[in-house]
Every structure is written in structure tokens, then in C-alpha cells.
Amino acid sequence: DTVVTSIVAIIVVFALITRLSTVDGGSMKPTLYDQERLMITDFCYTPAHNDIVVLWNDNLYNELTSEWGKAIVKRVIGLPGDTIKVDVDEGAVYRNGELLETEVIDDVIYEDGHPILEYTVRPHTMEVTVPEGCVFVMGDNRNNSIDSRDGRVGFVDMNYIIGKAYLRVAPLERFGGIY
């Protein structure tokens, strides 16, 4: 009876409270790397600044399924009402006028001193206010991330957040909490 009860409890926890997700690509380096496995939850979850979330995006092509729509992993930079300013020339991101401290990985190819952004053309400076019910997200690898700066992602409706990442479970040598 104890074994059966334990198995049922584990199934309920995984079905209702937590699930597994895989990082696809290098947009979250150095925090997360391609193909790392994460535990995520949406149980009683309300987005907060700096949370790492998995969200669904219908506008990105999923090469695995050969269909449109895929889960992506990003960091919450802005909440409803926040003003976000991204200055590419300075390599700086501001939230409500305050500079956010970030470690940016430079995976960008340069041509004539200007970055070639493989997936999108971004303005050198953008300033936006996050609308109600939405978040503004960015990858930690700011120079190589399809995120809210890209029209295919833009502001993310909170209903599209699958969950908050809280634990890296694979590879085992990097097992631990996510911050």
C-alpha cells in the first residue's frame, strides 16, 4: 500500500504541480545551457522580476515538430507598468530608470564594427512600458536571444507562461537551484 500511495503521490505532483522542460539553444548562457533539463511549476505562480520562466510562443518555428509554436526559456525583466529601456550601444538595460546589472555573453558576429543579429534587426535604443497582463522577457545572453525585443515575441501575455524554472535536474554535474 505504501509503495502504491507513493507512486500515486508522485504522479499527482508531476501532473498538477511541476513538470520537466528542456532548454533549447544558448540564449540563457551563462545561467542555462542548451539541452539542460529544468523542473518548472505554475502552481500559485505570479511572475516577479528576474524569474526564469518557460513560455509558449506561437510565432516561432519548432524544428523538432516542423510546426509553428514552441516553448522558450527567458528571464522576466519587466512587469506591468514597468518602463524598460534597452540601449544596444551601451549594452545596458534599465528598468524604471535603474540600470540592471547583467553579465552578457558576446556570441555576436561583427561586420564593419556593427553586430549582425542572425534572427532580427533591433533598434539601437528602445524604450517601452509593459502593458497590463504582460511581461517583458530577455535571454541572459542578450546578444544572442530572441526575446521581447523581437516582434515575434514582444510583450508576453502572462497566460502564455508555462511555469517558473526552479531546479536544474540535468546534467547531473550542474544539478541545483536556478537563480
Side-chain angles (χ1 to χ4, degrees):
D1 281 342
T2 305
V3 173
V4 173
T5 303
S6 297
I7 291 172
V8 169
I10 289 170
I11 291 170
V12 168
V13 166
F14 275 93
L16 301 177
I17 297 175
T18 192
R19 51 186 99 153
L20 207 53
S21 186
T22 303
V23 177
D24 181 20
S27 72
M28 287 300 291
K29 288 195 286 186
T31 310
L32 301 170
Y33 290 87
D34 187 36
Q35 299 306 304
E36 288 187 332
R37 304 283 285 175
L38 314 173
M39 296 301 297
I40 65 171
T41 185
D42 65 348
F43 184 72
C44 297
Y45 176 65
T46 302
H49 291 129
N50 300 317
D51 284 352
I52 295 176
V53 296
V54 177
L55 58 101
W56 184 258
N57 184 289
D58 288 326
N59 299 318
L60 298 177
Y61 187 72
N62 187 332
E63 293 161 6
L64 199 59
T65 64
S66 299
E67 295 179 2
W68 288 95
K70 68 189 274 185
I72 58 175
V73 181
K74 302 296 173 198
R75 185 176 299 276
V76 175
I77 301 298
L79 298 172
D82 284 341
T83 298
I84 305 299
K85 179 181 177 186
V86 179
D87 190 318
V88 173
D89 294 329
E90 285 182 19
V93 178
Y94 299 86
R95 180 190 309 121
N96 301 323
E98 290 187 35
L99 177 65
L100 301 180
E101 296 296 323
T102 59
E103 180 179 348
V104 177
I105 303 298
D106 193 359
D107 279 350
V108 176
I109 299 168
Y110 289 87
E111 183 176 282
D112 298 326
H114 299 288
I116 300 171
L117 299 173
E118 184 177 342
Y119 299 107
T120 182
V121 175
R122 298 184 179 130
H124 282 278
T125 300
M126 70 180 294
E127 188 167 336
V128 296
T129 300
V130 183
E132 284 302 314
C134 294
V135 294
F136 186 95
V137 297
M138 294 178 76
D140 286 359
N141 185 356
R142 302 280 160 81
N143 291 328
N144 189 19
S145 177
I146 298 173
D147 51 38
S148 287
R149 298 170 291 172
D150 185 303
R152 292 171 292 173
V153 176
F155 297 116
V156 177
D157 185 309
M158 289 185 200
N159 292 320
Y160 286 91
I161 296 176
I162 299 168
K164 176 185 175 182
Y166 65 92
L167 182 69
R168 178 184 8 249
V169 295
L172 286 177
E173 61 270 11
R174 288 185 38 93
F175 182 89
I178 301 171
Y179 310 102

